[in-house]
Amino acid sequence: MAFDLYIKDERASIEHYEEGMFDLTARDESFPQLNLIFQRFYDDPRIEPHQSNDLVHELIALRSEVVSENDYKYIVQVIDRLLPFFSKAYKTGQAINCSSD
């Protein structure tokens, strides 16, 4: 199932096969926003701009943890795709609306 994120007409997504990213953060309290998204994955959450800023920092931290691990190369690609999206939401002060299949 895809998890789609929207800022007005702009869209990003986390595909079903990319959800493994959340397995890496689920047991780690240093990723509260990523864990919140995963907990509310099917509730179509809304991500406020301040949360987007926190997500940028959490994604950078996660990326630094997995970048050298071959098993997680796909996660680096997901992070690299999501970082500019969350950054834009924060910098423009726009909330992100989410929906899942």
Side-chain angles (χ1 to χ4, degrees):
M1 295 188 173
F3 183 73
D4 296 317
L5 305 106
Y6 300 94
I7 303 172
K8 293 187 179 182
D9 293 335
E10 189 171 345
R11 178 183 170 272
S13 66
I14 301 170
E15 299 299 328
H16 175 66
Y17 62 89
E18 298 171 332
E19 293 174 25
M21 172 176 69
F22 296 111
D23 292 338
L24 298 173
T25 63
R27 296 171 292 283
D28 192 334
E29 293 180 11
S30 59
F31 299 103
Q33 295 300 328
L34 285 168
N35 289 330
L36 184 61
I37 287 174
F38 187 60
Q39 291 167 2
R40 298 178 59 207
F41 201 78
Y42 297 105
D43 297 334
D44 301 335
R46 178 179 165 103
I47 301 169
E48 298 300 329
H50 72 279
Q51 292 172 296
S52 291
N53 187 44
D54 293 343
L55 283 161
V56 166
H57 295 285
E58 290 180 24
L59 288 170
I60 290 169
L62 179 60
R63 189 184 193 288
S64 69
E65 288 182 18
V66 300
V67 71
S68 62
E69 307 222 7
N70 285 335
D71 292 344
Y72 300 120
K73 279 192 175 186
Y74 75 98
I75 291 174
V76 172
Q77 294 171 350
V78 175
I79 292 169
D80 288 348
R81 189 178 69 239
L82 293 175
L83 278 172
F85 187 81
F86 286 119
S87 178
K88 179 180 181 177
Y90 173 68
K91 289 168 86 175
T92 61
Q94 297 181 76
I96 298 171
N97 292 308
C98 306
S99 66
S100 60
D101 294 341

